Amino acid sequence: MAIRVRIPTPLRSLTAGAEEVAIDSATTVGAVIEQLEAKHPGVKDRLLDDKGVRKFINVYLGDEDIRFLEGLESAVKDGDEISIVPAIAGGAR
Amino acid sequence: MTRALTRAHRLERIVEAIGKTPLVRLGRLRELAGQTDVKVYAKLELANPGGSVKDRAARQMVLAAIAEGRLGRGVTLIDSTSGNTGVAYSMIGAALGLDIELVMPRNVTEPRKRVARAYGARITFSDPMEGSDGAIRHVRKLVEAAPDRYFYPDQYSNPNNPLAHYLGTGQEILDDLGSELTHFVAGLGTSGTVMGTSRRLHEVPFPVRCVAVEPRDALHGLEGLKHMASSLVPAIYDATVPDEILPVTTEDGWEMSDRLAREEGLHVGHSTGANVFAAVQIAQQCLARGERASIVTVACDRGDRYFAPMKWERSYVW
């Protein structure tokens, strides 16, 4: 089992086109993003600024926005699915 | 006699209220306050009856289709839209008695979905991970399966989209400012506003510099705008039309839209924030060079279309 991260189309240029990236083990959403960065450098900077998740990006753990959980400290376990969703519908392939 | 004196305010149908929007000077932003040589104006497209600039293209496309016999009884107008065009189709459809079906990514803001539904339109959702391009692909599939049932205006490819701005937006700016006009600044989405308006403004015998605004990054929060390098490029987009492309970050666009509400009394969406941010940058360049300038940009829609849903309204089905 692993944690699955769903990648939106505008970020797939950084993940060699992958729609989903598996993270072997991590205990928080923040740690997942760190491991994502280690696998695909550049991702973290697109997602986070110095205050946390960028305002126009939603990170979902399952079907809940992590802003309504514990943010980057939200606990994750094997089998969880994390989705990175632009807050808008604007047009990237 | 000026247009203001001759314009009839009694209209037969709501669609006649589209266009002829006010042009308002932005004189209170700190970068512009007290300046007399450099002026920035916002064309208030949010004053259209559907609440956005998209009313213009939607009306032009619908009226052309009716005139060509491609839209009427038994035919459903279907299109992909991240919201404002859908509201425009829905409003015009209700006013003209047309059947409307919209495909939009599920993560479009809730108020837009509700407005479209209020006018009686049907909404189908596409994958939020695929953005507006996913909605386009979804519509194409539906239309291919039943071509006789649907009229697909395809705002990304329909020449009536830029034509609305060539005949309307561009001409109205010239009527209001004449040869005082030096710059036009607008964001790239379908590119209809930039294409049509710029083509009209490039026809006049004095130079008007037309600047296209785009999100700096592929992953951005400027709803309605397209980062061309990473997008399906609209068929109506011609890269040779704008004189300059000006990238704007999401943060700069969002901050300017907040400031416009507090400092100018203009509560606008984020794409308008990006447009005005770019217009102010150009104004500052002109000031630094000691040039006179009258810069027109576009206030695309109102800020209340972007209010975030409450927590209990946030639920996405994957």
Side-chain angles (χ1 to χ4, degrees):
Chain A
M1 286 289 266
I3 296 151
R4 294 179 301 138
V5 184
R6 297 185 62 185
I7 307 295
T9 43
L11 274 186
R12 289 179 198 161
S13 58
L14 295 176
T15 60
E19 297 176 19
E20 201 174 278
V21 174
I23 298 296
D24 294 332
S25 66
T27 54
T28 63
V29 172
V32 168
I33 291 174
E34 290 296 341
Q35 291 197 27
L36 198 57
E37 172 69 15
K39 284 189 172 191
H40 302 290
V43 169
K44 183 182 170 185
D45 185 50
R46 308 295 177 92
L47 301 182
L48 309 182
D49 58 21
D50 50 9
K51 293 183 217 94
V53 178
R54 289 180 186 274
K55 282 198 289 185
F56 57 93
I57 291 167
N58 297 325
V59 177
Y60 287 87
L61 175 56
D63 59 2
E64 184 62 291
D65 188 330
I66 63 165
R67 289 190 184 89
F68 301 119
L69 301 170
E70 308 298 322
L72 293 172
E73 298 305 313
S74 306
V76 296
K77 58 183 188 308
D78 269 7
D80 277 350
E81 182 179 82
I82 292 173
S83 303
I84 299 162
V85 184
I88 56 129
R93 181 163 51 196
Chain B
M1 222 191 298
T2 66
R3 197 192 67 226
L5 294 175
T6 56
R7 180 182 175 193
H9 288 275
R10 189 178 60 195
L11 307 172
E12 292 298 321
R13 298 182 302 182
I14 189 68
V15 293
E16 293 168 19
I18 295 168
K20 297 195 171 63
T21 51
L23 190 66
V24 176
R25 174 106 183 257
L26 303 179
R28 288 180 48 82
L29 292 174
R30 62 176 175 271
E31 298 92 335
L32 306 172
Q35 298 298 339
T36 51
D37 286 348
V38 171
K39 299 171 184 171
V40 173
Y41 297 89
K43 189 142 176 73
L44 298 195
E45 293 304 303
L46 47 76
N48 282 306
S52 87
V53 64
K54 296 294 192 175
D55 284 10
R56 292 180 184 267
R59 177 178 64 178
Q60 197 78 27
M61 293 188 290
V62 165
L63 293 183
I66 292 171
E68 293 161 10
R70 294 197 290 152
L71 181 58
R73 190 179 292 274
V75 178
T76 296
L77 183 156
I78 188 168
D79 210 339
S80 62
T81 162
S82 63
N84 278 328
T85 305
V87 174
Y89 288 139
S90 305
M91 179 263 295
I92 293 165
L96 301 181
L98 303 167
D99 189 45
I100 309 291
E101 182 173 342
L102 307 174
V103 177
M104 50 180 83
R106 189 175 299 280
N107 56 337
V108 162
T109 51
E110 192 64 22
R112 242 97 44 93
K113 299 174 197 166
R114 291 197 188 167
V115 175
R117 281 206 186 100
Y119 285 116
R122 291 193 305 284
I123 303 180
T124 305
F125 293 114
S126 58
D127 187 345
M129 305 295 274
E130 303 290 333
S132 60
D133 290 345
I136 295 172
R137 286 189 283 262
H138 191 88
V139 167
R140 286 178 185 165
K141 255 192 294 180
L142 290 174
V143 173
E144 271 167 30
D148 297 340
R149 239 193 83 201
Y150 290 116
F151 166 64
Y152 173 29
D154 188 2
Q155 56 170 338
Y156 296 93
S157 308
N158 192 324
N160 288 295
N161 172 359
L163 182 64
H165 297 283
Y166 176 88
L167 298 172
T169 318
Q171 186 58 49
E172 291 166 28
I173 292 168
L174 292 171
D175 290 345
D176 286 338
L177 285 182
S179 59
E180 183 194 326
L181 177 70
T182 59
H183 295 75
F184 174 68
V185 181
L188 289 172
T190 67
S191 80
T193 306
V194 169
M195 291 298 122
T197 309
S198 301
R199 283 195 182 111
R200 179 69 191 95
L201 298 180
H202 280 152
E203 286 175 351
V204 298
F206 49 89
V208 178
R209 190 167 175 81
C210 296
V211 179
V213 176
E214 73 164 0
R216 200 190 64 179
D217 299 310
L219 183 63
H220 66 88
L222 297 168
E223 184 159 347
L225 300 192
K226 256 180 187 284
H227 179 257
M228 286 296 172
S230 64
S231 302
L232 292 174
V233 176
I236 58 172
Y237 179 63
D238 176 351
T240 67
V241 170
D243 299 300
E244 178 183 346
I245 308 269
L246 213 161
V248 173
T249 67
T250 298
E251 286 82 1
D252 285 337
W254 283 34
E255 190 200 344
M256 183 57 85
S257 61
D258 288 348
R259 287 182 56 200
L260 284 166
R262 293 194 303 268
E263 297 175 32
E264 296 279 357
L266 267 177
H267 187 227
V268 293
H270 301 134
S271 58
T272 304
N275 284 349
V276 173
F277 181 85
V280 167
Q281 274 196 315
I282 291 162
Q284 289 176 310
Q285 290 164 9
C286 293
L287 279 168
R289 290 195 296 261
E291 294 171 7
R292 296 179 76 90
S294 283
I295 302 160
V296 170
T297 191
V298 179
C300 312
D301 67 359
R302 291 175 203 278
D304 48 16
R305 292 245 155 115
Y306 301 88
F307 284 148
M310 297 292 111
K311 182 182 178 183
W312 55 87
E313 294 175 313
R314 269 183 194 270
S315 103
Y316 292 89
V317 179
W318 299 102

